[in-house]
Amino acid sequence: MLFRRLSEAQLERVSRRAHRLRLDEGQALFEQGDPAQRFYFVLSGQIKLFRLSPAGNEKVIDLVMPGNTFAEALMFLESPRYPVGAQALEASEVISIDAGDFADMLSGSVKTCFLLMADMSQRLRGLIGEIDHLTLQSATCRVAGYLLAQVPADGEEFALQVPKQILASRLSVKPETFSRIIKQLSIREILEVRGSRVRIRDREALRRIADVRSLS
């Protein structure tokens, strides 16, 4: 997490220029193309990051959960603008941080700057892995992999935390394709779905599907 690398004095400086924001469900935090003067830390709720095509179609880029930051890499750009829009999927709280002051603070500590860059590089590797999933895996593989990642270690049941149409966009599949995949997995008795609740009936079968690297 971004702030674990900071000293107490640095954290104090950040906190003096930070603001707590409360967002209602569906409320926009910023729009695609807005000047990026601040970045954010999610305290509670969920934040959807998305891009809009010229035709107005929405593609979900990320779903940011509590304990995570977003838009911080933009502080290193000159006159940056947000490449995505941000919207609360549910009632949420975020900490808004002055990106310019944060960057100025980093300029006075080469060690801290390198530590933060190492964290960002690790996140970049994660994004590259996600690109591999999107380009090398079928839609069924991506859905199976997502479901596996949600299963608790000590159980077989969990609740989908986001609406299915949002999740479909995040996985780069059409909503009807997502529903068809879930139905097929249910017919094969690999999982059972009731509303937003999902119960994994055959974890090993789901794992085999997630590991298949076909482009079908």
Side-chain angles (χ1 to χ4, degrees), residues 48-53 56-63 89 130 134 142-143 146 162-179:
K48 175 181 70 174
L49 304 182
F50 63 96
R51 283 185 62 83
L52 293 175
S53 72
N57 297 319
E58 179 181 292
K59 171 64 178 77
V60 177
I61 303 300
D62 202 1
L63 300 171
L89 281 178
E130 182 175 328
L134 292 175
R142 297 199 296 273
V143 172
Y146 176 84
V162 295
K164 293 178 183 177
Q165 67 271 20
I166 299 295
L167 181 54
S169 179
R170 181 69 182 89
L171 297 175
S172 293
V173 300
K174 294 180 179 179
E176 57 269 27
T177 302
F178 180 84
S179 296

Side-chain angles (χ1 to χ4, degrees), residues 25-183:
E25 179 180 351
Q27 184 176 347
L29 180 60
F30 54 76
E31 303 288 347
Q32 180 177 323
D34 284 351
Q37 299 174 339
R38 308 187 74 84
F39 67 94
Y40 300 89
F41 173 76
V42 181
L43 290 174
S44 64
Q46 297 181 73
I47 302 297
K48 175 181 70 174
L49 304 182
F50 63 96
R51 283 185 62 83
L52 293 175
S53 72
N57 297 319
E58 179 181 292
K59 171 64 178 77
V60 177
I61 303 300
D62 202 1
L63 300 171
V64 190
M65 303 300 181
N68 293 298
T69 56
F70 61 96
E72 66 273 22
L74 298 174
M75 77 174 90
F76 298 107
L77 301 178
E78 185 176 352
S79 303
R81 293 184 177 273
Y82 295 115
V84 297
Q87 182 184 52
L89 281 178
E90 58 187 64
S92 304
E93 281 191 286
V94 300
I95 298 295
S96 170
I97 299 154
D98 187 320
D101 185 69
F102 197 96
D104 287 343
M105 180 185 71
L106 291 181
S107 67
S109 175
V110 175
K111 179 181 178 180
T112 303
C113 190
F114 272 96
L115 289 173
L116 293 181
M117 292 300 291
D119 281 350
M120 291 182 184
S121 296
Q122 186 173 6
R123 291 174 64 177
L124 178 60
R125 286 195 294 271
L127 290 174
I128 292 172
E130 182 175 328
I131 291 172
D132 281 344
H133 291 322
L134 292 175
T135 57
L136 300 178
Q137 289 187 324
S138 69
T140 301
C141 293
R142 297 199 296 273
V143 172
Y146 176 84
L147 295 174
L148 274 176
Q150 307 308 305
V151 183
D154 57 351
E156 303 296 336
E157 188 171 338
F158 61 94
L160 293 174
Q161 298 298 313
V162 295
K164 293 178 183 177
Q165 67 271 20
I166 299 295
L167 181 54
S169 179
R170 181 69 182 89
L171 297 175
S172 293
V173 300
K174 294 180 179 179
E176 57 269 27
T177 302
F178 180 84
S179 296
R180 175 175 55 80
I181 292 170
I182 293 297
K183 183 177 180 179

Side-chain angles (χ1 to χ4, degrees), residues 3 5-16:
F3 301 115
R5 302 293 194 179
L6 303 184
S7 67
E8 289 189 11
Q10 289 171 327
L11 286 171
E12 174 62 25
R13 174 172 171 172
V14 171
S15 67
R16 287 198 301 267

